[in-house]
Amino acid sequence: MPSDPQATPVAATPPVPAACDRHSTTGYRGLLRNVEFTGLYAGFTLTAAAGTLSGFALGSLVNDRTGSPFLTAVSMYGATFATVLGALTLMSVADGRRPRRTLVALQFASLVGVGAQAVPGLPLTVRFGLLLMLGFFQSLGTGTRLGLLAEIVPTSAYATARSLMNITSGGMAVLGYAVGAVLLRHLSPYGVFTVAAALTAVGLAVVAATVREHSIRLTRRPGLRQTWATNKELFAHPGRRALLLNLWVPNGLIVGCEALFISYDPRGAGTLLAAGSAGMLLGDLAVGRLLSADRRRRSAFALRLLLAVPFLAFGLHPPTLVAAAAVFLAGAGFAATLPLQEQLLALTPDAVRGQVQGVESAGRMTWQGLGAAIAGGLAQYLAPGSAIALAAAVSVAVTVLAAPAVARTARTG
């Protein structure tokens, strides 16, 4: 990442699109009056819905074939393992000169991967290979999408835009898990994969039709060398390291807890997953719209604790309704990502925003995969409820130990 110690990156604000001035983008409806943002948002929404459906279908398929908590957890979140490959190799494409064309190409690759999962009779090894391929392309697509987002909306509306996208992600998960459970009663997992592929195709068409190219980009050609140089500069900054640690590890361990829901309660897994997504939706809505930037920063530690503490109740093996209430409360804690992402953006030069946000997202998703693997591995030796409680306890410990470093970053900017 280019280093400019005399400059304050957050002061360099991307141009405000003519259709969307600073005052009109303070709310969700104002954002949606921007045609480009609406197209980017709609494409993200359809992609999120497709990802939820395909993950649920693959998890159910693997659970039926193997009965293994570890393989089931990895199948639901295994694509996140490949995101780190994107972050380490080609994430600089997120700041290339033609981000729209890049995003369309990457979404087309995702469409091919999801469509291939709908082919019956594929060995599980092939399905896991497709899962890794999807994770790689999705990580690059996320970086490109977030780079475009930082240019399509003004800096003052960035937190609101991310909040809306996070809320949508939670809403699509609620609908996706609920609809997925219903579809699996009438369709095979392959039929659910076909539905997911259709949603991906529509999302691709929407982005291609509405998003234009943007020119605030690197002068150097994207590639492996550029990716490594920017990543080296990213991790050399102690404040950014502290923020990334808190964005990645506690979050990933709690996603690992959620990956055990099918093993913990096969019949109630859909309810538990939907409860977590509903809590995430409510938390992002409240934190993104009702709190000021300063209050969001001050609430980050409490929200990160809220993310993990309710999962400790699983050590007592509560009934489904009690467990769902705990998961709902914990889901609100995912809103801690908003103030941490705002701080990270403020420490990032404009020219590499796409890559830095892509690395943040890829690392968070990779830790979700690691969390699923850790929790699934624990469940091979412990009861699923005990494994969930243990992973949550580690998440609490990481949050508490890392709190001083994050506080120093907030004070120094």
Side-chain angles (χ1 to χ4, degrees), residues 40-408:
L40 196 69
Y41 168 69
F44 165 77
T45 300
L46 292 164
T47 300
T52 301
L53 284 177
S54 60
F56 194 63
L58 184 58
S60 300
L61 181 65
V62 172
N63 188 60
D64 288 343
R65 286 194 186 181
T66 68
S68 167
F70 174 77
L71 291 177
T72 299
V74 170
S75 69
M76 291 186 68
Y77 298 98
T80 60
F81 286 117
T83 60
V84 71
L85 298 178
L88 293 175
T89 58
L90 296 178
M91 189 58 76
S92 58
V93 302
D95 293 304
R97 290 185 179 276
R98 296 184 176 181
R100 174 194 172 275
R101 186 172 69 176
T102 300
L103 182 59
V104 168
L106 291 168
Q107 290 200 206
F108 179 78
S110 295
L111 171 60
V112 172
V114 175
Q117 290 281 25
V119 177
L122 288 180
L124 288 183
T125 53
V126 175
R127 294 193 182 280
F128 279 109
L130 287 170
L131 198 63
L132 293 175
M133 183 197 76
L134 283 170
F136 179 78
F137 288 119
Q138 287 170 359
S139 70
L140 302 181
T142 296
T144 306
R145 183 183 295 110
L146 294 177
L148 281 166
L149 177 66
E151 296 175 14
I152 287 172
V153 304
T155 301
S156 59
Y158 178 81
T160 305
R162 288 298 296 266
S163 171
L164 180 58
M165 295 178 84
N166 290 348
I167 288 169
T168 300
S169 178
M172 287 301 99
V174 172
L175 291 175
Y177 290 129
V179 171
V182 172
L183 289 176
L184 283 173
R185 294 179 182 177
H186 303 281
L187 300 174
S188 69
Y190 313 114
V192 179
F193 283 129
T194 301
V195 174
L199 292 175
T200 304
V202 176
L204 169 62
V206 169
V207 170
T210 58
V211 178
R212 63 180 177 85
E213 292 291 8
H214 287 254
S215 59
I216 307 176
R217 296 286 158 181
L218 289 171
T219 57
R220 287 172 291 179
R221 185 175 182 176
L224 183 61
R225 180 178 298 179
Q226 180 63 38
T227 298
W228 284 4
T230 302
N231 287 347
K232 182 179 178 180
E233 183 67 21
L234 169 63
F235 289 102
H237 191 289
R240 288 192 287 259
R241 286 201 306 269
L243 291 170
L244 290 172
L245 172 68
N246 274 265
L247 280 161
W248 292 351
V249 182
N251 180 301
L253 289 168
I254 297 308
V255 170
C257 295
E258 295 178 341
L260 292 178
F261 285 166
I262 291 178
S263 302
Y264 177 81
D265 185 356
R267 291 182 177 273
T271 299
L272 296 177
L273 289 166
S277 298
M280 184 174 68
L281 186 154
L282 178 63
D284 278 311
L285 177 63
V287 173
R289 291 292 290 127
L290 303 181
L291 300 184
S292 66
D294 181 63
R295 291 183 67 187
R296 281 196 294 269
R297 284 194 297 270
R298 288 189 278 112
S299 70
F301 177 71
L303 287 169
R304 191 59 83 202
L305 289 180
L306 179 63
L307 175 65
V309 169
F311 278 97
L312 298 175
F314 278 78
L316 301 176
H317 307 285
T320 299
L321 290 180
V322 175
V327 171
F328 176 81
L329 288 174
F334 280 111
T337 59
L338 284 175
L340 297 175
Q341 286 166 344
E342 281 184 294
Q343 292 180 61
L344 183 63
L345 185 69
L347 295 173
T348 302
D350 292 347
V352 291
R353 281 179 166 180
Q355 180 173 340
V356 171
Q357 291 178 94
V359 168
E360 182 274 316
S361 177
R364 186 156 35 89
M365 293 180 69
T366 298
W367 261 99
Q368 289 173 5
L370 289 172
I374 291 169
L378 290 172
Q380 294 289 110
Y381 303 97
L382 303 174
S386 299
I388 289 172
L390 181 57
V394 176
S395 178
V396 171
V398 172
T399 294
V400 171
L401 292 173
V406 175
R408 285 194 297 273

